[in-house]
Amino acid sequence: METALDVLRAELGVGRSTQTELTTRAAWLAFMRFTRQRFATAPTPESDGLLFQYGTYAFSGRPMFTVDLTRQFDISDDEGEHEHYVQVHCELRYECEPVLDALRSFDSWFFHDADANLDEWFAAMEGHLELVLARVPAEIDVYEERV
């Protein structure tokens, strides 16, 4: 899990030159590749989760439509008790437009090892990206946080 952020950054760079702008579609495909790679996590159904969410927020000071693609790892102590989460984010931000603001907000979780179908979840989430797939985000932020 210590390398998860580096793995995501590497996936975002696959097939791109430094002059190529990252489209939403390319970021989504990179996130899908990243989430298919498994890391050493606790043997519990919620130890490796994916969060897809969007909405119009002012996290960076001004309102922007933000798509946040997140992978969350449950970190346990030596006795197996929950200690904290590590989240690896890829935030795609777009200038506000009425058509994007009209989408309001949405979120959906997927957990590896919870008997759900990852490909079905990907297909459902991609449907929510329809309006932005061909766009180039105004801002992209890739980071890791402990929560």
Side-chain angles (χ1 to χ4, degrees), residues 15-43:
R16 290 185 44 238
S17 70
T18 54
Q19 293 81 25
T20 307
E21 292 184 295
L22 186 68
T23 64
T24 304
R25 181 177 306 281
W28 175 241
L29 293 173
F31 183 73
M32 288 194 304
R33 289 190 305 271
F34 167 63
T35 61
R36 289 187 188 282
Q37 298 180 47
R38 298 305 302 268
F39 294 86
T41 57

PDB file of all heavy atoms in Angstrom, residues 15-43:
ATOM      1  N   GLY A  15       1.103   5.921 -21.821  1.00  0.00           N
ATOM      2  CA  GLY A  15       0.717   6.306 -23.172  1.00  0.00           C
ATOM      3  C   GLY A  15       0.629   7.801 -23.414  1.00  0.00           C
ATOM      4  O   GLY A  15       0.117   8.232 -24.437  1.00  0.00           O
ATOM      5  N   ARG A  16       1.122   8.610 -22.493  1.00  0.00           N
ATOM      6  CA  ARG A  16       1.045  10.058 -22.652  1.00  0.00           C
ATOM      7  C   ARG A  16       2.438  10.649 -22.733  1.00  0.00           C
ATOM      8  O   ARG A  16       3.336  10.241 -22.024  1.00  0.00           O
ATOM      9  CB  ARG A  16       0.337  10.696 -21.446  1.00  0.00           C
ATOM     10  CG  ARG A  16      -1.128  10.401 -21.381  1.00  0.00           C
ATOM     11  CD  ARG A  16      -1.840  11.142 -20.251  1.00  0.00           C
ATOM     12  NE  ARG A  16      -1.458  12.517 -20.119  1.00  0.00           N
ATOM     13  CZ  ARG A  16      -0.941  13.044 -19.008  1.00  0.00           C
ATOM     14  NH1 ARG A  16      -0.730  12.305 -17.948  1.00  0.00           N
ATOM     15  NH2 ARG A  16      -0.635  14.320 -18.954  1.00  0.00           N
ATOM     16  N   SER A  17       2.571  11.650 -23.573  1.00  0.00           N
ATOM     17  CA  SER A  17       3.804  12.432 -23.576  1.00  0.00           C
ATOM     18  C   SER A  17       3.574  13.617 -22.635  1.00  0.00           C
ATOM     19  O   SER A  17       2.459  13.863 -22.191  1.00  0.00           O
ATOM     20  CB  SER A  17       4.124  12.927 -24.986  1.00  0.00           C
ATOM     21  OG  SER A  17       3.193  13.916 -25.374  1.00  0.00           O
ATOM     22  N   THR A  18       4.610  14.355 -22.346  1.00  0.00           N
ATOM     23  CA  THR A  18       4.467  15.493 -21.437  1.00  0.00           C
ATOM     24  C   THR A  18       3.597  16.593 -22.043  1.00  0.00           C
ATOM     25  O   THR A  18       3.064  17.423 -21.328  1.00  0.00           O
ATOM     26  CB  THR A  18       5.847  16.081 -21.067  1.00  0.00           C
ATOM     27  OG1 THR A  18       6.542  16.393 -22.271  1.00  0.00           O
ATOM     28  CG2 THR A  18       6.641  15.105 -20.230  1.00  0.00           C
ATOM     29  N   GLN A  19       3.426  16.604 -23.359  1.00  0.00           N
ATOM     30  CA  GLN A  19       2.602  17.624 -24.000  1.00  0.00           C
ATOM     31  C   GLN A  19       1.133  17.221 -24.113  1.00  0.00           C
ATOM     32  O   GLN A  19       0.293  18.048 -24.426  1.00  0.00           O
ATOM     33  CB  GLN A  19       3.125  17.936 -25.418  1.00  0.00           C
ATOM     34  CG  GLN A  19       4.481  18.601 -25.461  1.00  0.00           C
ATOM     35  CD  GLN A  19       5.627  17.600 -25.318  1.00  0.00           C
ATOM     36  OE1 GLN A  19       5.484  16.429 -25.641  1.00  0.00           O
ATOM     37  NE2 GLN A  19       6.752  18.067 -24.803  1.00  0.00           N
ATOM     38  N   THR A  20       0.823  15.972 -23.868  1.00  0.00           N
ATOM     39  CA  THR A  20      -0.539  15.483 -24.023  1.00  0.00           C
ATOM     40  C   THR A  20      -1.356  15.811 -22.779  1.00  0.00           C
ATOM     41  O   THR A  20      -0.962  15.472 -21.672  1.00  0.00           O
ATOM     42  CB  THR A  20      -0.547  13.954 -24.235  1.00  0.00           C
ATOM     43  OG1 THR A  20       0.315  13.632 -25.314  1.00  0.00           O
ATOM     44  CG2 THR A  20      -1.943  13.456 -24.533  1.00  0.00           C
ATOM     45  N   GLU A  21      -2.492  16.464 -22.990  1.00  0.00           N
ATOM     46  CA  GLU A  21      -3.372  16.759 -21.871  1.00  0.00           C
ATOM     47  C   GLU A  21      -4.161  15.505 -21.504  1.00  0.00           C
ATOM     48  O   GLU A  21      -4.556  14.736 -22.371  1.00  0.00           O
ATOM     49  CB  GLU A  21      -4.324  17.892 -22.224  1.00  0.00           C
ATOM     50  CG  GLU A  21      -3.621  19.229 -22.393  1.00  0.00           C
ATOM     51  CD  GLU A  21      -4.600  20.346 -22.647  1.00  0.00           C
ATOM     52  OE1 GLU A  21      -5.265  20.311 -23.694  1.00  0.00           O
ATOM     53  OE2 GLU A  21      -4.695  21.231 -21.794  1.00  0.00           O
ATOM     54  N   LEU A  22      -4.371  15.335 -20.235  1.00  0.00           N
ATOM     55  CA  LEU A  22      -5.082  14.164 -19.740  1.00  0.00           C
ATOM     56  C   LEU A  22      -6.586  14.409 -19.835  1.00  0.00           C
ATOM     57  O   LEU A  22      -7.112  15.309 -19.198  1.00  0.00           O
ATOM     58  CB  LEU A  22      -4.688  13.898 -18.286  1.00  0.00           C
ATOM     59  CG  LEU A  22      -5.239  12.630 -17.653  1.00  0.00           C
ATOM     60  CD1 LEU A  22      -4.607  11.397 -18.303  1.00  0.00           C
ATOM     61  CD2 LEU A  22      -4.956  12.636 -16.162  1.00  0.00           C
ATOM     62  N   THR A  23      -7.259  13.606 -20.634  1.00  0.00           N
ATOM     63  CA  THR A  23      -8.713  13.702 -20.713  1.00  0.00           C
ATOM     64  C   THR A  23      -9.334  12.938 -19.548  1.00  0.00           C
ATOM     65  O   THR A  23      -8.679  12.120 -18.901  1.00  0.00           O
ATOM     66  CB  THR A  23      -9.252  13.103 -22.030  1.00  0.00           C
ATOM     67  OG1 THR A  23      -8.953  11.699 -22.039  1.00  0.00           O
ATOM     68  CG2 THR A  23      -8.676  13.790 -23.252  1.00  0.00           C
ATOM     69  N   THR A  24     -10.584  13.191 -19.321  1.00  0.00           N
ATOM     70  CA  THR A  24     -11.303  12.450 -18.284  1.00  0.00           C
ATOM     71  C   THR A  24     -11.304  10.967 -18.611  1.00  0.00           C
ATOM     72  O   THR A  24     -11.106  10.126 -17.731  1.00  0.00           O
ATOM     73  CB  THR A  24     -12.738  12.979 -18.160  1.00  0.00           C
ATOM     74  OG1 THR A  24     -12.676  14.389 -17.897  1.00  0.00           O
ATOM     75  CG2 THR A  24     -13.497  12.278 -17.058  1.00  0.00           C
ATOM     76  N   ARG A  25     -11.515  10.628 -19.881  1.00  0.00           N
ATOM     77  CA  ARG A  25     -11.522   9.213 -20.285  1.00  0.00           C
ATOM     78  C   ARG A  25     -10.183   8.546 -19.944  1.00  0.00           C
ATOM     79  O   ARG A  25     -10.145   7.451 -19.393  1.00  0.00           O
ATOM     80  CB  ARG A  25     -11.815   9.048 -21.771  1.00  0.00           C
ATOM     81  CG  ARG A  25     -11.841   7.575 -22.214  1.00  0.00           C
ATOM     82  CD  ARG A  25     -12.203   7.398 -23.677  1.00  0.00           C
ATOM     83  NE  ARG A  25     -13.434   8.037 -24.059  1.00  0.00           N
ATOM     84  CZ  ARG A  25     -14.665   7.568 -23.832  1.00  0.00           C
ATOM     85  NH1 ARG A  25     -14.811   6.436 -23.170  1.00  0.00           N
ATOM     86  NH2 ARG A  25     -15.721   8.215 -24.234  1.00  0.00           N
ATOM     87  N   ALA A  26      -9.076   9.211 -20.250  1.00  0.00           N
ATOM     88  CA  ALA A  26      -7.759   8.643 -19.959  1.00  0.00           C
ATOM     89  C   ALA A  26      -7.559   8.475 -18.454  1.00  0.00           C
ATOM     90  O   ALA A  26      -7.018   7.461 -17.998  1.00  0.00           O
ATOM     91  CB  ALA A  26      -6.660   9.515 -20.556  1.00  0.00           C
ATOM     92  N   ALA A  27      -8.010   9.446 -17.664  1.00  0.00           N
ATOM     93  CA  ALA A  27      -7.890   9.339 -16.206  1.00  0.00           C
ATOM     94  C   ALA A  27      -8.753   8.199 -15.682  1.00  0.00           C
ATOM     95  O   ALA A  27      -8.330   7.441 -14.804  1.00  0.00           O
ATOM     96  CB  ALA A  27      -8.285  10.657 -15.543  1.00  0.00           C
ATOM     97  N   TRP A  28      -9.959   8.062 -16.221  1.00  0.00           N
ATOM     98  CA  TRP A  28     -10.857   6.982 -15.804  1.00  0.00           C
ATOM     99  C   TRP A  28     -10.242   5.615 -16.130  1.00  0.00           C
ATOM    100  O   TRP A  28     -10.247   4.705 -15.293  1.00  0.00           O
ATOM    101  CB  TRP A  28     -12.216   7.165 -16.463  1.00  0.00           C
ATOM    102  CG  TRP A  28     -13.195   6.067 -16.203  1.00  0.00           C
ATOM    103  CD1 TRP A  28     -13.770   5.265 -17.127  1.00  0.00           C
ATOM    104  CD2 TRP A  28     -13.735   5.646 -14.942  1.00  0.00           C
ATOM    105  NE1 TRP A  28     -14.622   4.365 -16.527  1.00  0.00           N
ATOM    106  CE2 TRP A  28     -14.623   4.578 -15.182  1.00  0.00           C
ATOM    107  CE3 TRP A  28     -13.549   6.070 -13.629  1.00  0.00           C
ATOM    108  CZ2 TRP A  28     -15.314   3.922 -14.160  1.00  0.00           C
ATOM    109  CZ3 TRP A  28     -14.239   5.411 -12.606  1.00  0.00           C
ATOM    110  CH2 TRP A  28     -15.112   4.365 -12.881  1.00  0.00           C
ATOM    111  N   LEU A  29      -9.692   5.466 -17.324  1.00  0.00           N
ATOM    112  CA  LEU A  29      -9.060   4.201 -17.704  1.00  0.00           C
ATOM    113  C   LEU A  29      -7.865   3.897 -16.801  1.00  0.00           C
ATOM    114  O   LEU A  29      -7.649   2.755 -16.398  1.00  0.00           O
ATOM    115  CB  LEU A  29      -8.650   4.227 -19.170  1.00  0.00           C
ATOM    116  CG  LEU A  29      -9.794   4.266 -20.180  1.00  0.00           C
ATOM    117  CD1 LEU A  29      -9.255   4.465 -21.599  1.00  0.00           C
ATOM    118  CD2 LEU A  29     -10.659   3.021 -20.089  1.00  0.00           C
ATOM    119  N   ALA A  30      -7.084   4.934 -16.466  1.00  0.00           N
ATOM    120  CA  ALA A  30      -5.946   4.756 -15.566  1.00  0.00           C
ATOM    121  C   ALA A  30      -6.425   4.331 -14.178  1.00  0.00           C
ATOM    122  O   ALA A  30      -5.833   3.435 -13.558  1.00  0.00           O
ATOM    123  CB  ALA A  30      -5.143   6.053 -15.471  1.00  0.00           C
ATOM    124  N   PHE A  31      -7.496   4.950 -13.690  1.00  0.00           N
ATOM    125  CA  PHE A  31      -8.043   4.579 -12.388  1.00  0.00           C
ATOM    126  C   PHE A  31      -8.527   3.127 -12.407  1.00  0.00           C
ATOM    127  O   PHE A  31      -8.292   2.380 -11.455  1.00  0.00           O
ATOM    128  CB  PHE A  31      -9.184   5.532 -11.997  1.00  0.00           C
ATOM    129  CG  PHE A  31      -9.754   5.264 -10.635  1.00  0.00           C
ATOM    130  CD1 PHE A  31      -9.047   5.588  -9.485  1.00  0.00           C
ATOM    131  CD2 PHE A  31     -11.010   4.700 -10.493  1.00  0.00           C
ATOM    132  CE1 PHE A  31      -9.572   5.345  -8.219  1.00  0.00           C
ATOM    133  CE2 PHE A  31     -11.552   4.447  -9.236  1.00  0.00           C
ATOM    134  CZ  PHE A  31     -10.817   4.772  -8.098  1.00  0.00           C
ATOM    135  N   MET A  32      -9.166   2.715 -13.491  1.00  0.00           N
ATOM    136  CA  MET A  32      -9.623   1.325 -13.581  1.00  0.00           C
ATOM    137  C   MET A  32      -8.437   0.360 -13.546  1.00  0.00           C
ATOM    138  O   MET A  32      -8.492  -0.666 -12.857  1.00  0.00           O
ATOM    139  CB  MET A  32     -10.467   1.112 -14.844  1.00  0.00           C
ATOM    140  CG  MET A  32     -11.833   1.753 -14.757  1.00  0.00           C
ATOM    141  SD  MET A  32     -13.015   1.223 -16.038  1.00  0.00           S
ATOM    142  CE  MET A  32     -12.153   1.582 -17.538  1.00  0.00           C
ATOM    143  N   ARG A  33      -7.359   0.670 -14.269  1.00  0.00           N
ATOM    144  CA  ARG A  33      -6.172  -0.201 -14.222  1.00  0.00           C
ATOM    145  C   ARG A  33      -5.598  -0.243 -12.813  1.00  0.00           C
ATOM    146  O   ARG A  33      -5.239  -1.307 -12.302  1.00  0.00           O
ATOM    147  CB  ARG A  33      -5.117   0.280 -15.220  1.00  0.00           C
ATOM    148  CG  ARG A  33      -5.470   0.050 -16.671  1.00  0.00           C
ATOM    149  CD  ARG A  33      -4.297   0.327 -17.602  1.00  0.00           C
ATOM    150  NE  ARG A  33      -3.720   1.666 -17.460  1.00  0.00           N
ATOM    151  CZ  ARG A  33      -4.122   2.741 -18.136  1.00  0.00           C
ATOM    152  NH1 ARG A  33      -5.112   2.657 -19.010  1.00  0.00           N
ATOM    153  NH2 ARG A  33      -3.529   3.902 -17.950  1.00  0.00           N
ATOM    154  N   PHE A  34      -5.513   0.917 -12.183  1.00  0.00           N
ATOM    155  CA  PHE A  34      -4.988   1.023 -10.821  1.00  0.00           C
ATOM    156  C   PHE A  34      -5.812   0.181  -9.843  1.00  0.00           C
ATOM    157  O   PHE A  34      -5.264  -0.523  -8.992  1.00  0.00           O
ATOM    158  CB  PHE A  34      -4.986   2.500 -10.404  1.00  0.00           C
ATOM    159  CG  PHE A  34      -4.768   2.756  -8.943  1.00  0.00           C
ATOM    160  CD1 PHE A  34      -3.581   2.391  -8.323  1.00  0.00           C
ATOM    161  CD2 PHE A  34      -5.740   3.396  -8.188  1.00  0.00           C
ATOM    162  CE1 PHE A  34      -3.381   2.651  -6.964  1.00  0.00           C
ATOM    163  CE2 PHE A  34      -5.547   3.654  -6.836  1.00  0.00           C
ATOM    164  CZ  PHE A  34      -4.365   3.281  -6.232  1.00  0.00           C
ATOM    165  N   THR A  35      -7.128   0.210  -9.961  1.00  0.00           N
ATOM    166  CA  THR A  35      -7.973  -0.496  -9.002  1.00  0.00           C
ATOM    167  C   THR A  35      -7.950  -2.002  -9.207  1.00  0.00           C
ATOM    168  O   THR A  35      -8.310  -2.746  -8.304  1.00  0.00           O
ATOM    169  CB  THR A  35      -9.427   0.010  -9.051  1.00  0.00           C
ATOM    170  OG1 THR A  35      -9.970  -0.218 -10.345  1.00  0.00           O
ATOM    171  CG2 THR A  35      -9.502   1.481  -8.700  1.00  0.00           C
ATOM    172  N   ARG A  36      -7.543  -2.447 -10.375  1.00  0.00           N
ATOM    173  CA  ARG A  36      -7.438  -3.893 -10.622  1.00  0.00           C
ATOM    174  C   ARG A  36      -6.173  -4.475  -9.993  1.00  0.00           C
ATOM    175  O   ARG A  36      -6.065  -5.686  -9.821  1.00  0.00           O
ATOM    176  CB  ARG A  36      -7.456  -4.179 -12.113  1.00  0.00           C
ATOM    177  CG  ARG A  36      -8.821  -3.935 -12.742  1.00  0.00           C
ATOM    178  CD  ARG A  36      -8.844  -4.384 -14.195  1.00  0.00           C
ATOM    179  NE  ARG A  36     -10.048  -3.999 -14.865  1.00  0.00           N
ATOM    180  CZ  ARG A  36     -11.232  -4.598 -14.750  1.00  0.00           C
ATOM    181  NH1 ARG A  36     -11.355  -5.625 -13.934  1.00  0.00           N
ATOM    182  NH2 ARG A  36     -12.281  -4.173 -15.409  1.00  0.00           N
ATOM    183  N   GLN A  37      -5.214  -3.626  -9.664  1.00  0.00           N
ATOM    184  CA  GLN A  37      -3.993  -4.088  -9.020  1.00  0.00           C
ATOM    185  C   GLN A  37      -4.269  -4.247  -7.532  1.00  0.00           C
ATOM    186  O   GLN A  37      -4.766  -3.339  -6.890  1.00  0.00           O
ATOM    187  CB  GLN A  37      -2.860  -3.093  -9.252  1.00  0.00           C
ATOM    188  CG  GLN A  37      -2.518  -2.946 -10.727  1.00  0.00           C
ATOM    189  CD  GLN A  37      -1.409  -1.959 -10.949  1.00  0.00           C
ATOM    190  OE1 GLN A  37      -0.392  -2.007 -10.261  1.00  0.00           O
ATOM    191  NE2 GLN A  37      -1.601  -1.053 -11.905  1.00  0.00           N
ATOM    192  N   ARG A  38      -3.951  -5.410  -7.011  1.00  0.00           N
ATOM    193  CA  ARG A  38      -4.232  -5.676  -5.605  1.00  0.00           C
ATOM    194  C   ARG A  38      -2.998  -5.391  -4.761  1.00  0.00           C
ATOM    195  O   ARG A  38      -1.866  -5.561  -5.199  1.00  0.00           O
ATOM    196  CB  ARG A  38      -4.680  -7.127  -5.423  1.00  0.00           C
ATOM    197  CG  ARG A  38      -5.974  -7.473  -6.157  1.00  0.00           C
ATOM    198  CD  ARG A  38      -7.167  -6.570  -5.809  1.00  0.00           C
ATOM    199  NE  ARG A  38      -7.514  -6.544  -4.409  1.00  0.00           N
ATOM    200  CZ  ARG A  38      -8.408  -7.340  -3.849  1.00  0.00           C
ATOM    201  NH1 ARG A  38      -9.074  -8.211  -4.573  1.00  0.00           N
ATOM    202  NH2 ARG A  38      -8.640  -7.251  -2.551  1.00  0.00           N
ATOM    203  N   PHE A  39      -3.248  -4.964  -3.551  1.00  0.00           N
ATOM    204  CA  PHE A  39      -2.204  -4.657  -2.583  1.00  0.00           C
ATOM    205  C   PHE A  39      -2.409  -5.547  -1.368  1.00  0.00           C
ATOM    206  O   PHE A  39      -3.479  -6.118  -1.173  1.00  0.00           O
ATOM    207  CB  PHE A  39      -2.273  -3.177  -2.175  1.00  0.00           C
ATOM    208  CG  PHE A  39      -1.958  -2.235  -3.298  1.00  0.00           C
ATOM    209  CD1 PHE A  39      -2.953  -1.820  -4.180  1.00  0.00           C
ATOM    210  CD2 PHE A  39      -0.673  -1.761  -3.487  1.00  0.00           C
ATOM    211  CE1 PHE A  39      -2.676  -0.956  -5.224  1.00  0.00           C
ATOM    212  CE2 PHE A  39      -0.386  -0.899  -4.533  1.00  0.00           C
ATOM    213  CZ  PHE A  39      -1.379  -0.495  -5.405  1.00  0.00           C
ATOM    214  N   ALA A  40      -1.385  -5.654  -0.535  1.00  0.00           N
ATOM    215  CA  ALA A  40      -1.476  -6.468   0.680  1.00  0.00           C
ATOM    216  C   ALA A  40      -2.359  -5.744   1.681  1.00  0.00           C
ATOM    217  O   ALA A  40      -1.952  -4.762   2.293  1.00  0.00           O
ATOM    218  CB  ALA A  40      -0.087  -6.704   1.259  1.00  0.00           C
ATOM    219  N   THR A  41      -3.601  -6.213   1.818  1.00  0.00           N
ATOM    220  CA  THR A  41      -4.548  -5.603   2.751  1.00  0.00           C
ATOM    221  C   THR A  41      -5.039  -6.671   3.722  1.00  0.00           C
ATOM    222  O   THR A  41      -4.841  -7.861   3.497  1.00  0.00           O
ATOM    223  CB  THR A  41      -5.761  -5.000   1.999  1.00  0.00           C
ATOM    224  OG1 THR A  41      -6.400  -6.030   1.224  1.00  0.00           O
ATOM    225  CG2 THR A  41      -5.340  -3.869   1.079  1.00  0.00           C
ATOM    226  N   ALA A  42      -5.700  -6.215   4.758  1.00  0.00           N
ATOM    227  CA  ALA A  42      -6.259  -7.152   5.737  1.00  0.00           C
ATOM    228  C   ALA A  42      -7.305  -8.032   5.054  1.00  0.00           C
ATOM    229  O   ALA A  42      -7.956  -7.601   4.103  1.00  0.00           O
ATOM    230  CB  ALA A  42      -6.889  -6.369   6.887  1.00  0.00           C
ATOM    231  N   PRO A  43      -7.479  -9.242   5.539  1.00  0.00           N
ATOM    232  CA  PRO A  43      -8.449 -10.161   4.925  1.00  0.00           C
ATOM    233  C   PRO A  43      -9.886  -9.878   5.378  1.00  0.00           C
ATOM    234  O   PRO A  43     -10.580 -10.757   5.877  1.00  0.00           O
ATOM    235  CB  PRO A  43      -7.960 -11.541   5.383  1.00  0.00           C
ATOM    236  CG  PRO A  43      -7.331 -11.268   6.706  1.00  0.00           C
ATOM    237  CD  PRO A  43      -6.715  -9.897   6.595  1.00  0.00           C
TER     238      PRO A  43
END
